Amino acid sequence: MNPRDSSSSSPSDRRLSALARHLSSPSAAGVGGGVSRSLASSSSFARGDSVFSHVARAPEDPILGVTVAFNKDPSPVKLNLGVGAYRTEEGKPLVLNVVRQAEQQLINDRARVKEYLPIVGLVEFNKLSAKLIFGADSPAILENRVTTVQCLSGTGSLRVGGEFLARHYHQHTIYIPKPTWGNHPKVFTLAGLSVKYYRYYDPATRGLDFQGLLEDLGSAPLGAVVLLHACAHNPTGVDPTIQQWEQIRQLIRSRRQLPFFDSAYQGFASGSLDADAQSIRSFVADGGECLVAQSYAKNMGLYGERVGALSIVCRTADVAGRVESQLKLVIRPMYSNPPIHGASIVAAILRDREMYNEWTIELKAMADRIISMRHQLFDALRARGTPGDWSHIIKQIGMFTFTGLNSQQVAFMTKEYHIYMTSDGRISMAGLSSKTVPHLADAIHAAVARAV
Amino acid sequence: MAAAVRAGVSGRILGRGSAVGARSMSSWWRSVEPAPKDPILGVTEAFLADPSPDKVNVGVGAYRDDNGKPVVLECVREAERRVAGNQNMEYLPMGGSVKMVEETLKLAYGEDSEFIKDKRIAAVQALSGTGACRLFADFQKRFSPDSQIYIPVPTWANHHNIWRDAHVPQRTYHYYHPESKGLDFAALMDDVKNAPNGSFFLLHACAHNPTGVDPSEDQWREISYQIKVKGHFPFFDMAYQGFASGDPERDAKAIRIFLEDGHAIGIAQSYAKNMGLYGQRVGCLSVLCEDEKQAIAVKSQLQQLARPMYSNPPVHGALVVSTILGDPELKSLWLKEVKVMADRIIGMRTALRENLEKFGSPLSWKHITEQIGMFCYSGMTPEQVDQLTKEYHIYLTRNGRISMAGVTTGNVGYLANAINEVTKSS
């Protein structure tokens, strides 16, 4: 190899002589820090070379961190009341029978392919999901005023809805209840909205701070976006009564605020799909507009398949069509089109009368088991004479109970009784069984009794 | 009538005749414009709506067999049989399936990669290639907020959308040379040299979409060298590993060159085409870091971006991938099936070119066999494309991009004749 002037040497020659220059010079131009090792060796970029050296480690997710700690604990009596996934009496995850059936159907159908779904997702799934949440006879559906797009479970539906609002709605603030699911503020902030809170939970009553809610929404700007948990509020389990919902609806409509419902527990809260959708349906019945994020994670046990839908109820079919076209522009640069598997399972179940009925039975069984755990825990605390009013345990609804325990009490229960829960005192009722209720009751009793 | 009654009733409940109810409220979305149709996916919609028996879809980039049918790989069917009924559907961690990610990194970085051994790669499961690119773009915006991304001209249209929605300023670099229907190497190198130090460059690892024009190995080495000199960040979009040449190792060559040269790279990987898992949305985003500690930090931050987007990625597709790649027999079957797909496409390139030459086209069509991967940049103008669609019911994107996967022994003659007819006078 005879290095001639660079314009006529081969590319390899030029490259090798440049590499040689790098090796001999301690401060190679344009490369930070100097390359002291051979470029030919693979582990050759020096400290300070990465453009991401300044990236700090993010804090652990508080909810998922609970499970991490639980897994590390060797105690045989440990109890995981952290993450909100349903567990059976035996403490095992559950895949519904209808889901297994649907899975088999999909496998056995050799004609099925894995092509891309449209950007809006599986069309049949979208239609069935809208009927499920709004009611098959909903005027909004009959009038074609609803656009429904498949999204990645509740999270994805909230994010896509939030991004749409940030682009097309005149108000860029969303009011969310205090407290709310920890991921809500992050979802909406990254979507481009700013987040404000309205009062919701009253620690004194362990119930709804209804006055505070009305005041805060009453003083929120006209036209503000308002996030509402359709049922089974997460993390408190505290829901408005039907009468309170009616007042909330009137207030929101009178202030032309835009409701954005998060429906993650339809059917899972009371055991009745229709009852759990009543708040949403009353808003749709008044003819106004709203957004709804639907999740099948809990009520169909499809957690990891990420199945959900975003619906936007509009005034007219024409508007709904235009809105849908803009939703596609949000989705395409995010993930192009949604995953097919989970949506296919849901569609198979919802479209088949027998499977649908079987699903409602399995769903009610899950809801009933949770309600039973509530009663058992309440009875156990009463039997122990644990100080305080524990009726909120049976008044709250859904997967979670906001016990009212403080973080010291929680830490005590973790240390002495190996009970894992989030430090805000939230317990997942789904993690309890008849066998473990006594242990939890003992722990709560000890934690409360020792307090001074 | 019912709506008016309802409106009247709710008006009475609120009193003060306030603005509730169907009649008096207007839509918040009155001023929402109808969005333009996605240019690529719109082609398939139009194709489906066409009743002509002669219609040909060489638009969207999904593989078809020689009968024009979509294919589910046998290794995938087998994996699904094994998976169904055996797994629960619990949430994956935010970073996705650890097993799937491990196997995926081996494909890109090499089975025995020391980067994998040294745990220097921050990697998360992503929603196919799109999701991986978007996650990286969001990460780039958050942690290199002053940076910009250089995108080749042309590129997959959605690349522009992705970095735009991530609010990262974009610039372009020369890539395709229309006159030669090949790579505009000199201009590309100039753009790399002239970009401010530390710019981010989007590179197609193999089978460039939409042109099918890839740099040669020598050219990749020069690009790598120049990028190193300038301290640029190379981000690879690898959507066709195995699908381009039939050999995944060969298709990863550009990436391996950059790794040898000591770049800290990022990679978006997709299983949409090479495993035919399109609708399952399975992919992976990886970022090579200085050391294990940094990789842990970067991964944790990627997860922080995924959590408010979809919380955790879908499990089914990941299970299929890890079942296949984790079983030597299934993996070997997969490699065979990938080669079959790649070979069919290479065969169709040859057939299309030969047919055009046979029809006596006055133009040169050697670029058809020189380009690689699913797409061929035919060189046709939008007007010629429109003519193809209108007169011959042939559907492709208006940039003249032909999806070779849509070409079959059954339609290649018809296609060649049509292309010849619309181009012979140009």
Side-chain angles (χ1 to χ4, degrees):
Chain A
M1 179 180 49
N2 230 337
R4 285 158 290 173
D5 74 283
S6 59
S7 58
S8 52
S9 59
S10 75
S12 321
D13 296 346
R14 289 201 296 281
R15 183 171 168 273
L16 282 167
S17 54
L19 295 181
R21 282 200 302 280
H22 273 285
L23 288 175
S24 58
S25 151
S27 56
V31 178
V35 180
S36 55
R37 285 157 285 172
S38 160
L39 277 177
S41 119
S42 351
S43 54
S44 59
F45 64 87
R47 288 196 178 282
D49 272 357
S50 170
V51 295
F52 299 123
S53 349
H54 61 290
V55 172
R57 185 168 182 175
E60 285 276 350
D61 182 289
I63 299 175
L64 303 177
V66 168
T67 296
V68 168
F70 169 83
N71 286 336
K72 288 200 184 116
D73 188 331
S75 162
V77 299
K78 65 181 180 176
L79 197 51
N80 187 357
L81 302 179
V83 79
Y86 182 81
R87 293 286 176 266
T88 63
E89 261 287 308
E90 294 73 41
K92 298 263 177 290
L94 176 67
V95 178
L96 303 185
N97 281 332
V98 281
V99 168
R100 287 282 182 233
Q101 263 182 268
E103 260 193 320
Q104 274 310 309
Q105 271 180 24
L106 296 179
I107 295 279
N108 295 337
D109 184 357
R110 262 202 82 96
R112 280 190 65 79
V113 294
K114 297 195 174 303
E115 297 293 282
Y116 292 124
L117 284 177
I119 300 175
V120 298
L122 188 61
V123 171
E124 191 194 10
F125 164 86
N126 292 340
K127 288 191 160 60
L128 291 166
S129 294
K131 288 196 183 141
L132 182 66
I133 190 72
F134 298 115
D137 55 355
S138 170
I141 293 183
L142 298 174
E143 292 158 21
N144 281 317
R145 295 191 282 115
V146 183
T147 171
T148 304
V149 296
Q150 180 190 340
C151 292
L152 279 102
S153 210
T155 310
S157 306
L158 293 164
R159 176 63 178 267
V160 170
E163 297 239 352
F164 173 80
L165 293 175
R167 287 175 205 203
H168 297 286
Y169 190 60
H170 63 96
Q171 283 255 8
H172 291 164
T173 305
I174 183 165
Y175 282 76
I176 66 181
K178 191 169 188 210
T180 193
W181 180 46
N183 205 20
H184 276 144
K186 295 182 201 153
V187 169
F188 293 120
T189 304
L190 287 210
L193 299 173
S194 60
V195 169
K196 287 198 152 73
Y197 288 86
Y198 61 90
R199 278 170 286 170
Y200 191 84
Y201 178 69
D202 184 355
T205 60
R206 293 174 192 164
L208 183 64
D209 180 359
F210 192 49
Q211 263 319 109
L213 183 157
L214 291 178
E215 277 172 30
D216 287 350
L217 291 188
S219 54
L222 299 178
V225 186
V226 180
L227 179 75
L228 301 162
H229 294 225
C231 68
H233 180 270
N234 176 1
T236 68
V238 169
D239 284 350
T241 63
I242 295 184
Q243 293 78 9
Q244 288 171 330
W245 268 121
E246 174 57 18
Q247 278 186 264
I248 293 170
R249 184 193 66 77
Q250 288 181 23
L251 175 61
I252 285 180
R253 292 308 195 197
S254 74
R255 296 188 63 69
R256 300 197 304 279
Q257 288 163 346
L258 181 65
F260 194 159
F261 284 96
D262 186 354
S263 174
Y265 299 99
Q266 187 190 6
F268 200 91
S270 69
S272 158
L273 289 159
D274 289 327
D276 289 347
Q278 202 38 51
S279 59
I280 293 175
R281 294 181 189 179
S282 71
F283 274 75
V284 174
D286 71 16
E289 297 178 316
C290 65
L291 287 81
V292 178
Q294 245 174 309
S295 165
Y296 289 96
K298 288 83 170 172
N299 63 8
M300 266 202 205
L302 290 172
Y303 305 94
E305 300 294 352
R306 319 311 293 130
V307 206
L310 169 71
S311 287
I312 303 189
V313 179
C314 308
R315 312 264 348 142
T316 67
D318 172 64
V319 169
R322 284 185 270 134
V323 165
E324 182 169 300
S325 71
Q326 292 291 347
L327 288 173
K328 284 154 96 168
L329 293 194
V330 169
I331 292 170
R332 175 70 159 148
M334 217 185 263
Y335 50 84
S336 280
N337 39 70
I340 188 172
H341 189 74
S344 305
I345 291 176
V346 172
I349 293 171
L350 295 182
R351 82 163 77 98
D352 178 302
R353 157 159 280 153
E354 263 187 52
M355 288 176 81
Y356 179 92
N357 286 337
E358 213 191 303
W359 172 49
T360 60
I361 294 169
E362 289 191 86
L363 184 50
K364 188 162 191 315
M366 287 196 286
D368 284 349
R369 193 182 93 68
I370 290 191
I371 291 169
S372 161
M373 290 302 104
R374 290 182 175 279
H375 285 275
Q376 287 187 33
L377 181 59
F378 174 72
D379 292 342
L381 289 171
R382 247 201 338 198
R384 283 159 180 69
T386 308
D389 175 4
W390 297 96
S391 61
H392 56 283
I393 293 179
I394 48 179
K395 286 185 198 152
Q396 292 167 5
I397 191 169
M399 196 175 296
F400 301 111
T401 292
F402 233 36
T403 54
L405 296 162
N406 61 40
S407 52
Q408 292 99 309
Q409 290 165 327
V410 169
F412 167 82
M413 286 168 60
T414 305
K415 191 154 174 282
E416 302 300 328
Y417 287 81
H418 307 278
I419 300 205
Y420 290 82
M421 50 199 278
T422 44
S423 58
D424 57 4
R426 181 192 89 160
I427 54 176
S428 167
M429 302 310 289
L432 274 178
S433 69
S434 313
K435 285 194 285 292
T436 54
V437 162
H439 181 63
L440 176 60
D442 288 341
I444 293 177
H445 185 88
V448 170
R450 76 193 271 276
V452 174
Chain B
M1 174 65 175
V5 169
R6 262 204 313 278
V9 166
S10 38
R12 275 203 302 279
I13 288 175
L14 277 184
R16 292 187 280 129
S18 54
V20 175
R23 244 178 340 155
S24 46
M25 262 191 345
S26 59
S27 173
W28 288 125
W29 318 118
R30 244 176 332 172
S31 55
V32 169
E33 295 289 318
K37 277 196 176 304
D38 184 284
I40 301 173
L41 304 176
V43 169
T44 295
E45 276 179 32
F47 167 81
L48 291 171
D50 185 332
S52 162
D54 299 323
K55 63 181 181 177
V56 174
N57 186 359
V58 282
V60 79
Y63 181 77
R64 296 285 177 267
D65 63 14
D66 202 45
N67 296 314
K69 296 275 175 281
V71 170
V72 177
L73 301 187
E74 277 311 312
C75 62
V76 168
R77 288 202 191 280
E78 177 54 29
E80 289 201 304
R81 272 193 290 270
R82 293 187 196 179
V83 158
N86 286 335
Q87 311 278 347
N88 62 47
M89 287 160 177
E90 295 292 283
Y91 292 124
L92 282 176
M94 279 183 283
S97 158
V98 169
K99 186 147 184 276
M100 191 277 278
V101 167
E102 269 173 18
E103 292 294 337
T104 304
L105 293 182
K106 286 188 207 163
L107 281 181
Y109 292 84
E111 193 84 26
D112 300 311
S113 164
E114 65 180 88
F115 302 117
I116 296 179
K117 288 199 189 76
D118 294 344
K119 304 197 187 179
R120 286 176 51 186
I121 307 174
V124 295
Q125 179 184 340
L127 293 157
S128 210
T130 309
C133 285
R134 175 58 179 268
L135 217 49
F136 182 78
D138 282 348
F139 178 77
Q140 179 188 348
K141 179 63 186 177
R142 187 173 271 192
F143 292 101
S144 279
D146 301 325
S147 67
Q148 53 204 0
I149 183 88
Y150 278 77
I151 296 183
V153 178
T155 194
W156 179 49
N158 206 24
H159 279 143
H160 293 290
N161 301 332
I162 290 168
W163 267 271
R164 177 204 63 216
D165 276 16
H167 308 291
V168 174
Q170 17 186 303
R171 294 205 128 75
T172 56
Y173 63 91
H174 288 84
Y175 191 86
Y176 180 68
H177 192 239
E179 289 75 23
S180 63
K181 301 191 180 65
L183 184 67
D184 192 348
F185 184 60
L188 186 160
M189 292 298 282
D190 278 345
D191 286 344
V192 171
K193 283 179 198 143
N194 294 331
N197 287 358
S199 297
F200 284 59
F201 269 75
L202 172 68
L203 304 162
H204 295 226
C206 63
H208 180 270
N209 176 1
T211 68
V213 170
D214 283 351
S216 66
E217 194 174 313
D218 278 342
Q219 288 173 327
W220 272 124
R221 291 187 189 283
E222 287 221 42
I223 295 169
S224 167
Y225 155 68
Q226 192 57 50
I227 285 183
K228 195 85 206 279
V229 164
K230 295 288 297 182
H232 294 327
F233 185 97
F235 184 73
F236 284 95
D237 186 354
M238 182 156 68
Y240 299 99
Q241 188 183 11
F243 202 90
S245 69
D247 176 2
E249 282 297 295
R250 197 162 139 203
D251 290 343
K253 189 63 185 168
I255 287 177
R256 305 290 170 81
I257 288 170
F258 274 67
L259 291 172
E260 280 165 24
D261 288 352
H263 292 274
I265 65 176
I267 308 179
Q269 285 170 270
S270 165
Y271 287 102
K273 287 84 170 172
N274 62 10
M275 253 193 218
L277 292 177
Y278 306 93
Q280 309 286 166
R281 318 311 293 128
V282 206
C284 177
L285 166 66
S286 58
V287 178
L288 176 59
C289 301
E290 293 166 338
D291 53 35
E292 182 178 356
K293 183 155 169 262
Q294 191 186 88
I296 290 173
V298 168
K299 179 178 168 173
S300 75
Q301 295 293 350
L302 292 174
Q303 289 176 176
Q304 289 292 307
L305 290 162
R307 174 72 157 149
M309 204 186 280
Y310 48 83
S311 280
N312 38 71
V315 61
H316 184 79
L319 274 177
V320 170
V321 172
S322 56
T323 302
I324 292 171
L325 295 182
D327 176 316
E329 263 188 55
L330 279 184
K331 182 170 179 179
S332 162
L333 174 57
W334 171 57
L335 290 170
K336 284 201 188 77
E337 293 190 275
V338 162
K339 189 162 191 320
V340 165
M341 290 195 286
D343 285 348
R344 192 184 91 67
I345 292 203
I346 292 168
M348 287 300 101
R349 287 183 176 277
T350 306
L352 181 59
R353 175 180 168 180
E354 284 176 355
N355 269 274
L356 280 161
E357 286 164 357
K358 190 182 74 183
F359 281 117
S361 169
L363 307 171
S364 163
W365 296 100
K366 67 178 168 64
H367 56 284
I368 295 182
T369 47
E370 281 168 5
Q371 292 166 5
I372 189 169
M374 196 175 296
F375 303 111
C376 163
Y377 229 40
S378 61
M380 287 187 287
T381 65
E383 294 71 30
Q384 289 169 333
V385 168
D386 289 341
Q387 203 184 341
L388 268 189
T389 305
K390 214 154 152 265
E391 291 176 22
Y392 295 91
H393 308 276
I394 295 174
Y395 290 82
L396 63 160
T397 45
R398 289 185 90 236
N399 54 9
R401 181 193 87 164
I402 297 175
S403 170
M404 296 308 298
V407 182
T408 66
T409 49
N411 65 26
V412 66
Y414 177 77
L415 181 60
N417 176 60
I419 293 176
N420 182 43
E421 288 299 314
V422 310
T423 58
K424 62 188 181 185
S425 52
S426 63

